[in-house]
Amino acid sequence: MMDKLMEVARDCFYTPIFMKKNRPAYKLSVLCDKEKIEEVEDIIFSNTTSIGLRKIEVERSILDREMITIDHDGLKLFFKKVYHKDSSYIYPEYQSVKDLAEKENISIKEAFDRIRSIYGEKYEN
């Protein structure tokens, strides 16, 4: 069901909780645009035993960003470069980190550090 939700939502996640009488349960949280609410509700009601939903409108602050792609050793590595005031930050996309880790047989942390250095070699030197 998470895959179906992620096709229409911005994000979704489970949180373990305790209900009345200390019954264990999972809370499903979904962040989506207003236009997608009905579609999200349909997915939840069709794929869970839930008989009701609570909806809360939230505001979102986002940083200006640009997507950057670097071809490296047969892989396309994707980054977000975000801007806040007078600073910018680079965030490798998780899938790129995972792909590099698998290709080079290294840990996710090592791959994350390697991708940041690949970006530095390309754009900061």
Side-chain angles (χ1 to χ4, degrees):
M1 179 185 64
M2 296 284 278
D3 291 340
K4 290 180 183 178
L5 285 170
M6 284 307 298
E7 289 176 12
V8 297
R10 290 191 173 273
D11 203 0
C12 60
F13 55 92
Y14 290 109
T15 306
I17 60 171
F18 288 96
M19 303 293 286
K20 289 187 280 185
K21 301 178 184 176
N22 257 354
R23 288 176 298 172
Y26 288 95
K27 175 183 171 186
L28 172 63
S29 298
V30 181
L31 301 172
C32 70
D33 295 325
K34 282 183 180 180
E35 308 82 53
K36 301 288 186 170
I37 290 174
E38 185 176 348
E39 197 171 349
V40 166
E41 288 176 345
D42 289 343
I43 293 168
I44 293 170
F45 287 134
S46 298
N47 292 279
T48 72
T49 58
S50 182
I51 60 173
L53 302 173
R54 291 181 179 96
K55 297 182 274 190
I56 301 168
E57 190 169 332
V58 297
E59 292 182 28
R60 182 174 181 227
S61 298
I62 60 171
L63 297 175
D64 289 334
R65 67 193 71 189
E66 67 177 294
M67 291 301 295
I68 297 170
T69 305
I70 296 175
D71 290 313
H72 173 75
D73 204 20
L75 289 176
K76 282 199 178 296
L77 304 176
F78 297 94
F79 301 81
K80 280 188 187 123
K81 185 172 187 176
V82 299
Y83 301 92
H84 180 248
K85 297 187 178 177
D86 294 332
S87 298
S88 65
Y89 308 94
I90 298 300
Y91 296 102
E93 289 293 312
Y94 178 75
Q95 190 62 51
S96 294
V97 174
K98 186 177 168 189
D99 291 345
L100 183 66
E102 288 175 7
K103 181 174 183 175
E104 295 189 3
N105 197 26
I106 58 177
S107 72
I108 293 290
K109 182 178 181 338
E110 290 172 304
F112 184 85
D113 292 341
R114 178 74 181 115
I115 284 180
R116 289 183 67 105
S117 71
I118 291 167
Y119 176 87
E121 291 165 9
K122 175 113 174 136
Y123 288 102
E124 295 174 358
N125 289 332

